[in-house]
């Protein structure tokens, strides 16, 4: 598909409309990551969790914790002689932890070929021979479509599958029923050798097999690049590079990738900036909303602040916490009002969001409650007389 001509290098084709539909307007910044699991293609070093240096090789999965800047590692498949783990995805709701190698290896009496995708007990998710992938083809990047759980992968040379020729920078989707289809066309002059499809905004993290220039920026083969689809243009930025942590990454190619992103707690604010109520309404209910993410259970603290309305005379001074559960994007808080017979005109108080247990406070942080005096209201509406 390399010749689906793109007039700009590095504009990825809109192939799967559902994949590209944006669901929410997040800020156009890098997705924050908690942990990155990856593999290199030669021996390399990182700061070890617990101190010292962690020396890893090409069949090791390194778990790098971004909060500490240190790494652990695991040889999930044991020590593989003459084989490099060149594609990897950790367990998630779509899959077990799965791998692909760059050479044929026997695991549990089964031959794992370079285009096989398999778990650590040797069960194949994708069997190259069964699916008709020719010998000599190597799958060099694997992920799963968060929307469908289809396997999404890349190959390392131009490859014909089900009658379509795919390029080394294309992403190919596969499932047992539908076979192979183009997921994203690369259109760049480089081989994608690691990929992770993020479950927000159709963002893609990937690495290339050689250094590459995209939109004026140079990315190294050990870098993780984030593709941000969107408004107004799709753009690419550096997500993470291991090279600042150890010089052994300068010659090392990161060739397998999985990430855990930081939950999007969201931004908490009032639905509206002011609300009117009659003083005999008994209470006022107003809505706190959560935008730019709804992950995790978050406590939102709020309290009333007197203005021209008097706490204890016009409203009940209130300080409380609203908990919005995981996935919940709004909640109602209530303040009791106090009625009196005095003709006092319109009075106002504020309800303020004062703190959130995670995420941030947005605008409006204050909601102004305007209390209409019912005695005044009757007069104003001409019912008297
Ligand atoms: Ca590797
Ligand atoms: Ca492979
Ligand atoms: Ca590739
Ligand atoms: Ca790479």
């Amino acid at each position: 598909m390399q010749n689906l001509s793109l007039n700009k290098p590095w504009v990825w084709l809109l192939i799967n409309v559902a994949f590209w539909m944006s669901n929410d307007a997040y800020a156009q910044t890098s997705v924050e990551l908690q942990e990155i699991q990856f593999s290199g293609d030669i021996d390399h070093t990182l700061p070890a969790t617990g101190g010292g240096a962690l020396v890893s090789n090409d069949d090791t999965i390194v778990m790098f914790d971004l909060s500490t800047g240190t790494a652990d590692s695991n040889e999930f498949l044991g020590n593989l002689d003459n084989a490099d783990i060149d594609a990897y995805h950790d367990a998630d709701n779509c899959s077990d932890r799965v791998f692909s190698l760059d050479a044929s290896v026997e695991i549990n009496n089964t031959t794992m070929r370079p285009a096989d995708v398999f778990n650590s007990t040797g069960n194949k998710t994708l069997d190259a021979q069964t699916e008709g992938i020719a010998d000599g083809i190597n799958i060099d990047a694997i992920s799963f479509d968060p929307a469908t759980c289809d396997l999404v992968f890349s190959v390392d040379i131009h490859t014909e599958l089900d009658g379509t020729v795919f390029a080394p920078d294309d992403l190919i989707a596969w499932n047992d029923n539908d076979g192979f289809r183009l997921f994203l066309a690369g259109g760049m002059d480089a081989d994608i050798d690691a990929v992770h499809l993020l479950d927000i905004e159709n963002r893609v993290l990937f690495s290339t097999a050689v250094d590459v220039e995209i939109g004026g920026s140079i990315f190294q083969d050990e870098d993780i690049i984030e593709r941000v689809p969107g408004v107004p243009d799709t753009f690419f930025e550096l997500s993470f590079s291991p090279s600042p942590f150890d010089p052994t990454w300068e010659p090392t190619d990161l060739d397998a990738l999985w990430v855990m992103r930081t939950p999007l707690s969201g931004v908490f604010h009032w639905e509206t900036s002011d609300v009117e109520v009659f003083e005999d309404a008994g209470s006022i209910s107003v809505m706190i909303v959560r935008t730019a993410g709804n992950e995790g259970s978050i406590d939102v603290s709020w309290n009333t602040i007197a203005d021209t309305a008097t706490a204890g005379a016009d409203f009940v001074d209130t300080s409380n916490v609203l908990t919005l559960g995981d996935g919940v994007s709004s909640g109602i808080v209530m303040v009791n009002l106090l009625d009196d017979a005095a003709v006092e005109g319109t009075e106002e108080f504020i309800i303020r969001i004062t703190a959130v247990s995670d995420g941030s406070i947005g605008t409006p942080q204050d909601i102004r409650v305007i209390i209409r005096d019912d005695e005044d209201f009757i007069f104003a509406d001409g019912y008297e007389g």
Side-chain angles (χ1 to χ4, degrees):
M1 302 295 285
Q2 197 172 41
N3 294 327
L4 276 177
S5 188
L6 306 167
N7 44 15
K8 283 190 281 186
W10 269 100
V11 176
W12 291 36
L13 273 183
L14 189 152
I15 297 301
N16 180 333
V17 172
F19 180 78
W20 288 87
M21 282 172 60
S22 187
N23 37 26
D24 218 333
Y26 299 109
Q28 297 290 292
T29 55
S30 298
V31 169
E32 192 182 329
L33 303 177
Q34 272 182 347
E35 181 182 336
I36 305 170
Q37 301 186 8
F38 52 87
S39 179
D41 69 334
I42 55 174
D43 289 0
H44 53 81
T45 303
L46 282 169
T49 302
L54 176 76
V55 182
S56 304
N57 58 36
D58 64 357
D59 56 15
T60 305
I61 301 296
V62 172
M63 286 91 164
F64 190 87
D65 181 338
L66 276 89
S67 64
T68 61
T70 62
D72 280 320
S73 70
N74 200 319
E75 283 189 345
F76 291 104
L77 305 177
N79 186 13
L80 301 175
D81 290 337
N82 306 317
D84 170 16
I85 292 177
D86 69 350
Y88 170 71
H89 192 85
D90 193 2
D92 59 18
N93 61 339
C94 291
S95 170
D96 294 337
R97 180 178 276 120
V98 289
F99 309 84
S100 184
L101 307 176
D102 73 336
S104 289
V105 168
E106 292 281 323
I107 296 177
N108 291 351
N109 300 316
T110 304
T111 301
M112 300 304 169
R113 294 176 175 78
D116 286 337
V117 177
F118 59 94
N119 70 10
S120 56
T121 58
N123 289 321
K124 294 185 183 181
T125 302
L126 174 63
D127 186 320
Q129 286 200 321
T130 302
E131 299 304 323
I133 304 177
D135 286 346
I137 304 299
N138 178 25
I139 287 179
D140 60 0
I142 49 179
S143 186
F144 288 85
D145 179 352
T148 64
C149 283
D150 285 354
L151 176 69
V152 173
F153 64 94
S154 180
V155 287
D156 68 343
I157 56 173
H158 281 79
T159 299
E160 182 175 343
L161 300 168
D162 289 349
T164 302
V165 177
F166 298 99
D169 54 356
D170 289 338
L171 296 181
I172 306 159
W174 173 83
N175 69 49
D176 213 9
N177 293 323
D178 306 324
F180 301 100
R181 65 183 169 85
L182 183 63
F183 188 78
L184 273 181
M188 60 175 154
D189 195 18
D191 174 15
I192 288 179
D193 70 348
V195 67
H196 183 116
L197 303 176
L198 292 167
D199 58 353
I200 55 164
E201 277 199 332
N202 305 320
R203 297 188 184 210
V204 180
L205 297 177
F206 66 97
S207 181
T208 54
V210 294
D211 299 353
V212 65
E213 180 180 347
I214 310 170
S217 300
I218 303 287
F219 298 99
Q220 312 295 321
D221 62 2
E222 72 272 23
D223 289 343
I224 299 170
I225 307 164
E226 180 170 352
R227 176 189 185 278
V228 184
V231 190
D233 295 313
T234 293
F235 65 95
F236 298 84
E237 57 191 355
L238 182 65
S239 173
F240 176 79
S241 179
S243 51
F245 295 90
D246 193 277
T248 58
W249 281 93
E250 199 58 45
T252 304
D253 172 26
L254 182 152
D255 66 358
L257 169 67
W258 180 87
V259 304
M260 184 189 300
R261 63 174 177 80
T262 304
L264 287 167
S265 304
V267 180
F268 298 82
H269 52 91
W270 297 105
E271 179 193 31
T272 182
S273 57
D274 53 69
V275 60
E276 280 193 25
V277 63
F278 294 116
E279 70 169 356
D280 62 352
S283 66
I284 174 79
S285 293
V286 287
M287 185 180 286
I288 292 175
V289 296
R290 181 187 201 183
T291 52
N294 61 7
E295 296 171 351
S297 179
I298 309 294
D299 292 335
V300 184
S301 303
W302 58 274
N303 58 245
T304 53
I305 299 169
D307 188 7
T308 52
T310 306
D314 299 309
F315 65 95
V316 176
D317 197 16
T318 309
S319 176
N320 213 332
V321 175
L322 172 73
T323 300
L324 294 181
D326 182 32
V328 177
S329 294
S330 66
I332 302 285
V333 305
M334 196 184 77
V335 175
N336 287 318
L337 302 176
L338 302 172
D339 195 9
D340 59 29
V343 177
E344 48 199 350
T346 297
E347 295 175 312
E348 301 179 1
F349 70 99
I350 286 164
I351 317 174
R352 177 168 294 169
I353 297 171
T354 55
V356 289
S357 59
D358 200 8
S360 60
I361 299 172
T363 305
Q365 179 179 7
D366 291 350
I367 185 166
R368 177 164 292 275
V369 181
I370 302 159
I371 306 173
R372 298 286 298 272
D373 182 2
D374 49 1
E375 289 79 13
D376 182 47
F377 172 71
I378 290 167
F379 178 76
D381 271 27
Y383 284 96
E384 275 194 355

